[in-house]
Amino acid sequence: MSATVTTDKIPAAIPAKKNLRLDRAQQLVKDVKNDLRKFITVGLSLKELRDDGLFKELGYASFDDLAIKEFGLSKPYAYQHLQALEVDEALKKSGIPDKPSCLGVAAKLFPMLEKPEQLRKVWKDAVKSSGGKPVTAQIVGKIRDRLIKKKPPKPSAPAPAIQEEDEPKRLRLLFEFLSRSDESILSRFAKDLKPLGLTATAFDAAIAKLTFVRDQL
């Protein structure tokens, strides 16, 4: 009797699951190191590393640790790149093709990030003042400071409201005028009544009322 020979296939080794997050984190670090002078590219890479928590894939406890140990960027300097992205986004809405040429120029606009309209106005004025030449941080700073220091006109103080308890006092004053003056010359002392806060309607009503009272005397 012949023996039965079985030929079981040996299963192929299962490839290790690829860590896509780790690969992405490593690629972003490489991009930053290759383009440290391109502040927008650096900002985009840093933002993804921070917002998606990819720094953890590289063994760092925080984004700040990654920035200083991988790129030698202090915390303030790293976050300036992130703010520069906000400036870039705000300027895209202005319709001006020109953009800050370096981080130093963009940094002059950081104080206005909460006021996008003013930020865009400063940039437009800076581009115009540069006359086709690259916009410098000095130009942006001067225009920004001029706009910030410009004080808006003070609103005119509203006329004081007529209080109920003041009405007799005001009426007595008007009656005093009426008792010694003809209605035709009331305009001569209208300026004397202005501080009382009487509107034209209130003044006319008071004149009518007092005229009636006087005619009853």
Side-chain angles (χ1 to χ4, degrees), residues 30-46:
K30 183 179 179 181
D31 292 344
V32 172
K33 290 181 177 179
N34 290 340
D35 296 312
L36 270 175
R37 292 187 178 183
K38 297 179 181 179
F39 68 101
I40 293 297
T41 300
V42 171
L44 288 170
S45 297
L46 291 178

Side-chain angles (χ1 to χ4, degrees), residues 22-23 40 56 90 94 97 109 116 118 143 160 166 171 177 179 192:
L22 176 60
D23 289 348
I40 293 297
K56 297 177 183 178
S94 68
L109 297 169
Q118 288 189 5
I143 295 175
D166 291 337
L171 293 179
F177 280 130
S179 65
D192 297 323

Side-chain angles (χ1 to χ4, degrees), residues 2 13 16-17 41 50-51 73 87 94 106 113 121 141 145 173 185:
S2 61
K17 187 176 180 180
T41 300
R50 182 196 65 177
D51 293 355
L73 299 178
V87 169
S94 68
L113 279 172
K121 175 175 173 51
D145 293 344
L173 177 57
I185 62 171

Side-chain angles (χ1 to χ4, degrees), residues 205-217:
I207 291 296
K209 183 176 181 179
L210 285 169
T211 301
F212 175 80
V213 171
R214 186 194 61 181
D215 292 342
Q216 302 304 311
L217 297 177

Side-chain angles (χ1 to χ4, degrees), residues 108-124:
K108 292 294 183 179
L109 297 169
F110 292 169
M112 311 188 80
L113 279 172
E114 295 183 0
K115 299 178 180 179
E117 291 185 3
Q118 288 189 5
L119 185 151
R120 291 192 288 269
K121 175 175 173 51
V122 168
W123 182 249
K124 285 181 180 179

